[in-house]
Amino acid sequence: MRTKAIFDISDPLLFKQQLLSWASSCEELVWLDSNKYPDKYQQYDAILAINAFTAIKTDTVEAFDKLKEYQQTTADWIFGYLSYDLKNDTEKLTSKNHDSLKFPELYFFQPQKLFLLKENKLEVQYLRMVDDEIDFDFTEINEIVIAEKVPEIQQKTISIQSRLSKEDYLYKVTEMLQHIHRGDIYEANFCQEFYAENIVLNPFHIFTELNEISNPPFASFLKLEDYYAMCASPERYIQKKGDTIISQPIKGTAARNTDPKIDVDNAQNLSEDIKERSENIMIADLVRNDLSKIAKKGSVKVERLCEVHSFKQVHQLISTISAELREEFAAVEVLKSTFPMGSMTGAPKISAMQIIEDLEETKRGLYSGAIGYFTPEADFDFNVVIRSILYNEDRKYASFSVGGAITAQSNPESEYEECMVKASAMRQVLGKFSD
């Protein structure tokens, strides 16, 4: 049983900064922040889970079955991630590409301490609490002084390298288009990695800056042992609340502009762009198909199709698909039936994943996987790990990847430019240390 307490928060924005700063040295930590983005499906403004009471860490072999057993055995809050390469557990696929990050394929933990922030109310839940520990921690958090600006990190210059040259990227996209023209696939998400070796980062400061310049609705900071994710994701993968399932795939991107008129035009042009809309509609249809495997008959609905959402860096097309879960399916089976998310694979899904594996240079790992949580009631909410910097502290290796949907209408040069737009926030954060 968890000991619970409720506190009134006078300045939620300041308190969020204090709370994350207070927790930043913990061995296990998951921080989820909506950045107050308007979202009627959002349960909390921010969540912090720290200090593992129990944990599960595994490779792809029977990973979802192991997670199902762990989730049902704990019957508690658990937090963690699913790597993209869990596709090898759901289908007869492999992952043989280069991997310098070396993250486990799946990692979840049951937190000893949990903080749930909604508007000006903070709910605190502790396992195995000592006397007055909640009150003591709450006082300590409120006494933290937040600097007005994140301090500069004093270290040697970081050299950011690309796993693919521009020429190689254009060649591989052309190969992808050949698959499409032959009818092997209709659409596939093709990604490329940028990386830095032999570096020492302060992940907390990196995340703070990345979140500041992006302000996305599904930001997350994850620390599990030496594995870090600094994630500024705008995309929800999937949410379960009771019997209702919601998925919100993103496909379709346009750059923001400092000129308000041009910016409005960019958003309007995106909403009317045939190529961008076709990307989104194909993936929305794929998600509908995935959800139909576990949904009550006739319950899968497209709530919103190709709706423009504007973020600090880009405009995006987002569709919202809902379904009612059939009683015989457990929570983890929803993930197993829909993973990896359609927005990061393509259509048909299995063929797209096979071609992606052949053409990409890097094992995706946590990139284009998901970070999120389960509640004691077996509800869950997971983001899509994009617009993220991943870091293995032990190996001193940092990585971020970007990609886009390739369809019959794709122009390789335009796809490359879209990747650079998506990479801008990560470059801006790490670029201050680059040559």
Side-chain angles (χ1 to χ4, degrees):
M1 291 291 292
R2 289 184 174 271
T3 302
K4 301 180 182 181
I6 304 289
F7 296 95
D8 290 320
I9 305 298
S10 59
D11 186 342
L13 181 59
L14 173 61
F15 185 80
K16 283 199 305 182
Q17 296 174 298
Q18 292 171 316
L19 182 59
L20 183 55
S21 178
W22 172 78
S24 60
S25 61
C26 292
E27 187 73 8
E28 300 90 14
L29 181 163
V30 169
W31 168 258
L32 307 171
D33 191 350
S34 72
N35 287 300
K36 296 296 287 183
Y37 193 85
D39 174 15
K40 69 177 183 179
Y41 304 108
Q42 200 70 263
Q43 298 292 100
Y44 302 99
D45 294 335
I47 303 177
L48 172 70
I50 58 172
N51 299 339
F53 181 63
T54 64
I56 179 175
K57 177 172 61 173
T58 184
D59 57 17
T60 60
V61 179
E62 298 180 344
F64 282 103
D65 290 341
K66 293 171 185 175
L67 177 60
K68 178 181 176 181
E69 181 182 9
Y70 179 68
Q71 184 270 321
Q72 293 181 339
T73 301
T74 58
D76 193 11
W77 293 86
I78 59 172
F79 291 76
Y81 70 79
L82 310 165
S83 80
Y84 170 81
D85 296 284
L86 292 177
K87 64 183 173 59
N88 305 339
D89 184 38
T90 61
E91 306 293 345
K92 292 181 180 179
L93 299 169
T94 59
S95 297
K96 297 179 180 178
N97 288 332
H98 178 82
D99 177 23
S100 289
L101 280 166
K102 303 293 184 184
F103 279 41
E105 305 296 359
L106 179 152
Y107 201 148
F108 279 81
F109 74 99
Q110 178 187 14
Q112 295 189 46
K113 299 182 179 183
L114 179 63
F115 301 81
L116 306 165
L117 183 64
K118 184 68 173 179
E119 296 177 347
N120 67 336
K121 294 290 183 182
L122 176 73
E123 180 178 342
V124 181
Q125 300 186 16
Y126 279 21
L127 280 173
R128 293 197 170 186
M129 186 189 75
V130 298
D131 291 344
D132 300 325
E133 187 175 7
I134 288 179
D135 290 331
F136 177 84
D137 286 347
F138 183 70
T139 299
E140 189 173 66
I141 294 164
N142 276 286
E143 289 176 348
I144 290 175
V145 176
I146 300 298
E148 289 188 11
K149 182 172 171 47
V150 173
E152 295 289 333
I153 303 170
Q154 299 299 318
Q155 63 171 64
K156 65 179 182 180
T157 297
I158 293 176
S159 176
I160 301 172
Q161 303 178 65
S162 174
R163 191 68 61 185
L164 277 178
S165 68
K166 181 178 179 181
E167 292 72 20
D168 286 339
Y169 174 88
L170 297 177
Y171 176 78
K172 286 176 177 286
V173 171
T174 301
E175 284 195 90
M176 186 78 79
L177 284 167
Q178 291 173 356
H179 282 287
I180 293 170
H181 295 147
R182 283 200 301 266
D184 301 331
I185 51 174
Y186 306 112
E187 175 178 352
N189 191 281
F190 180 66
C191 302
Q192 59 177 315
E193 182 197 22
F194 296 85
Y195 65 97
E197 298 175 300
N198 299 314
I199 60 167
V200 177
L201 297 178
N202 184 318
F204 172 67
H205 288 157
I206 294 290
F207 170 74
T208 300
E209 292 202 19
L210 185 62
N211 191 47
E212 172 92 18
I213 64 175
S214 302
N215 226 226
F218 299 102
S220 56
F221 178 62
L222 177 144
K223 175 190 178 186
L224 297 172
E225 301 173 38
D226 291 319
Y227 312 111
Y228 290 86
M230 295 145 273
C231 177
S233 176
E235 183 172 2
R236 170 181 277 121
Y237 157 40
I238 196 165
Q239 179 195 73
K240 174 182 176 291
K241 186 178 180 184
D243 295 332
T244 301
I245 309 296
I246 296 290
S247 185
Q248 295 182 294
I250 288 179
K251 270 289 162 273
T253 305
R256 298 299 306 265
N257 195 286
T258 54
D259 184 315
K261 184 181 184 307
I262 296 175
D263 194 54
V264 170
D265 288 344
N266 285 355
Q268 183 64 33
N269 291 338
L270 176 63
S271 72
E272 298 170 354
D273 189 291
I274 295 174
K275 184 257 182 187
E276 302 289 340
R277 288 182 64 87
S278 67
E279 284 183 18
N280 192 292
I281 291 167
M282 278 191 276
I283 296 307
D285 192 53
L286 186 155
V287 171
R288 287 174 63 244
N289 182 66
D290 281 349
L291 290 178
S292 69
K293 301 172 189 175
I294 46 88
K296 293 177 182 177
K297 188 175 180 179
S299 71
V300 179
K301 298 177 182 177
V302 178
E303 305 281 349
R304 296 282 189 277
L305 184 65
C306 296
E307 189 174 45
V308 176
H309 290 241
S310 298
F311 306 101
K312 276 193 172 182
Q313 306 290 326
V314 291
H315 301 290
Q316 305 268 202
L317 291 182
I318 301 179
S319 291
T320 300
I321 302 100
S322 67
E324 295 300 313
L325 180 64
R326 297 210 304 268
E327 292 179 0
E328 65 265 32
F329 287 103
V332 172
E333 290 174 309
V334 177
L335 299 177
K336 187 175 182 179
S337 297
T338 59
F339 195 83
M341 61 290 300
S343 62
M344 298 306 295
T345 53
K349 194 172 188 179
I350 296 174
S351 297
M353 289 190 289
Q354 290 171 330
I355 292 168
I356 286 167
E357 188 70 29
D358 288 340
L359 290 179
E360 290 183 355
E361 295 290 322
T362 309
K363 179 180 175 181
R364 289 191 183 181
L366 180 50
Y367 170 70
S368 71
I371 295 172
Y373 64 90
F374 291 85
T375 73
E377 298 77 28
D379 289 339
F380 57 69
D381 205 358
F382 285 87
N383 72 2
V384 179
V385 181
I386 53 176
R387 322 290 159 82
S388 304
I389 299 169
L390 306 177
Y391 180 52
N392 186 318
E393 187 174 42
D394 180 60
R395 296 174 65 86
K396 297 182 174 59
Y397 185 88
S399 167
F400 67 89
S401 296
V402 291
I406 310 303
T407 69
Q409 292 80 33
S410 290
N411 173 280
E413 189 78 32
S414 298
E415 295 295 339
Y416 184 81
E417 293 306 317
E418 180 178 318
C419 284
M420 296 305 102
V421 170
K422 292 174 178 176
S424 62
M426 286 84 76
R427 282 189 174 281
Q428 185 174 334
V429 170
L430 290 177
K432 65 172 64 177
F433 310 113
S434 64
D435 293 325

